[in-house]
Amino acid sequence: MASAFNYLVIVFCTTAGRRGALLGTDEEDLVLLVWVVVDVETNKVLSFKQSFIRPETSELPEELCKTLGVQPDVITGAASLDVVLQQFDQYLRQELNTKDGNTFCLCTDGQLHIRQCLHPQATSKKVELPDYFYQFYDLRKEFRRSHPEAPIMIDVKDMAEYLRIEVGSYNFTETGVDECRTIASIVQKLITDGHRFQEPEKVRGKYEPGTYEKNDSVPDDTVVKARGLPWQASDRDVFSFFKGLNIAKGGVALCLNSSGRRNGEVMVHFENSENRDMALQRHKHNLGKRYVEVFKATGEEFIKVAAGTSRDAALFLSRDDGHIIVRMRGLPFTATAQNVIEFFGQECPVAGGENGILFVKHRNGKMTGDAFVMFASEESAAKAVEKHKQYLGSRYIEIFRSTTAEVQQIEIIVFPPQVLSRLHSEPLIPDGPPQTIPQTIPTIPVPPALLTQQLITSGAAKDCIRLRGLPFTAAIEDIMRFLGEHAHFIRPQGIHMVYNLQGKPNGEAFIQMTSPDHAYMAAQSCHMKYMGERYVEVFQCSGDEMSMVLMGGPRQIPKIPMPIPGAIAPTTPLAYPSMPMSSPHSGATIVPTLPVPARHPGATTFLPPHHAPVYYLPTPPVSPSAPLIYPGSSNAFIRLRGLHLGIQPHEVAHFFQGYGVPTESVHLQPNGDAVVSFYTQEIAMKALQDKQRMFGGKMELFVA
């Protein structure tokens, strides 16, 4: 026998989209499956079959129907992919008498039909492929082994001509019919010439975890970088995205930002360059509802992400014997290993008990609220993930699947931060003391109307968040919807939109939360979520960091003054009535820590280099050249009728969260009405339109 198998089953796939060398690159549905069975012992063709497949999402090209010589309803009325594959399986097992010990193996023209077409299509449609789809013979490689002296072959027609096989009137249209007949003839010719089909190509059926060291070497032509993943995506999700391609053991390394959180990027190491090249063809394919971008990367980049030196992480992973790892987030800082074991309970036992738990700590040894936990089986891990957002004590816990590479990157928290992504390469405040600032800093007289207003929050408490990457058209309402349940914990007038020198949004905003815990949870839940077509980065920060970023950081200040048009400067007092300024006396002056642009035309000031000047505006956003409107000067009001008598002013202010309504602007009436003042008529009108449907009573807008 000239092969390790009794039969070779030649398979050819046709999709509603691209074919030939681009087969499978557009994710279009399969519409035709053709197969030919060759008896290796007798070297004869036993059967020729074809089955049309009903496309589920793809439009059927008219040109394809003409090429195949069928009416469109023949394909649109055909069986679905799962039914056709079931019929294919039944035919092979019955006709080839597999119960009697006969064996068979698939054979294709190249790698694309199995790796880029059948496996991805079956995965996206949740169809389970039989085991024999995980090995196949690549006719082109078998031809090269048999005839190493032959020139490069473009297609099966070239191979047939080289072997002097008569193809007659075959119509080579890359649709499968005549192609399969030609492949069968080539297989028969190779068998006749004494070629033995011995070692088939293998397709990995599941992801195999593994670890890497800093001194490991990974070839550049085996690595890709993918970005745009959902932030909760695991290594197995990445494996599913690249299903059909062989990812090396431990070859999925999810990237983390400088805070130890996933940033939607991943480095993937494949077994060889051939699989890497096919992975690049999946650029902008979909993972769930999001498309993923795929680019070339280097082995060095992969090792930087995948390899780690943390002793705690290394000890934890040394106990990994094919376990599945999940990551817990939001743990109480006092949580113990026993608390974690009790949280998961007997239905999903932790592998190794307390040794199967790794708590993530800061450099100072304090808990971060994160932990990695091992489970012995997929079933236990799945049950563990089902506990997502269940409570441990007074905190709800987020649970996600994790990877060995993510555990190894724990050093970015335990040890000094490293650059692990293009998005998070610097901390908000550079290390070290600020550089010397010129002493000739002008004092800025503060108008009496501003003396009762609030400065932006300050201090080291991380009770703020920073949004980066906002659509330039984003409004306050868009940010509130983006934050979802976390919007309930925004301080009154706590949203600050950032504008450039021209008065246009620069895609950033700072938000003051009611506590560091609420800022932390908002940053973790909303980081890398999409607002429209753009993903938004969300970081937890302090008031000091906020001020520092707005002023460009403590860098060297140039000596050449630059004219600045009128604008609201970052250190200009804002219209916040809830926090008085440090000096309550009329005529006081404020000396800012950095020079700021004056608000009158023609003034000069100094700007930090390397940073485009930015200015923030209080909630709600107003034109940079418009005058500030302070409480007491408003002439727009909304009256609410039908309130219950026990309502408090802060509850009404919270109802108008995001429209610049402090508690002091709410005036309750003895009859159950409330009058709420707004900065402008435009804001009041917007609030009325947005909130009218949410209020059970009656709302009226009037102008004083």
Side-chain angles (χ1 to χ4, degrees), residues 426-428 430 466 501 506 508 548-556 558 562 606-615:
E426 295 182 354
L428 285 176
R466 178 187 185 185
L501 188 60
N506 77 340
E508 293 190 63
M548 190 69 71
V549 171
L550 287 172
M551 291 304 294
R555 293 177 170 83
Q556 183 64 43
M562 300 175 63
F606 298 100
L607 292 177
H610 313 303
H611 289 264
V614 293
Y615 306 94

Side-chain angles (χ1 to χ4, degrees), residues 249-369:
K249 186 176 181 180
V252 176
L254 294 165
C255 300
L256 307 181
N257 60 27
S258 57
S259 299
R261 310 301 180 202
R262 299 178 190 175
N263 64 8
E265 298 184 356
V266 63
M267 305 295 297
V268 187
H269 168 37
F270 293 91
E271 283 188 346
N272 52 51
S273 60
E274 186 176 33
N275 280 262
R276 191 286 303 263
D277 292 342
M278 285 185 279
L280 292 171
Q281 291 185 325
R282 298 196 186 182
H283 179 58
K284 293 195 174 181
H285 282 203
N286 289 288
L287 176 57
K289 296 182 179 180
R290 301 180 64 171
Y291 73 83
V292 176
E293 300 173 287
V294 184
F295 310 95
K296 291 181 180 179
T298 65
E300 183 180 358
E301 290 176 297
F302 175 81
I303 290 297
K304 283 182 178 179
V305 176
T309 58
S310 167
R311 291 184 178 180
D312 290 341
L315 180 61
F316 176 75
L317 292 174
S318 67
R319 306 186 186 105
D320 183 12
D321 186 19
H323 295 136
I324 293 134
I325 302 173
V326 302
R327 182 170 184 174
M328 304 178 72
R329 207 159 65 187
L331 287 165
F333 296 146
T334 57
T336 65
Q338 188 59 37
N339 296 145
V340 173
I341 292 174
E342 293 173 356
F343 174 80
F344 288 112
Q346 296 181 353
E347 64 271 21
C348 41
V350 176
E354 294 188 4
N355 289 331
I357 302 170
L358 173 65
F359 287 101
V360 183
K361 300 178 182 179
H362 288 293
R363 281 175 287 175
N364 58 10
K366 293 183 178 180
M367 294 290 190
T368 65

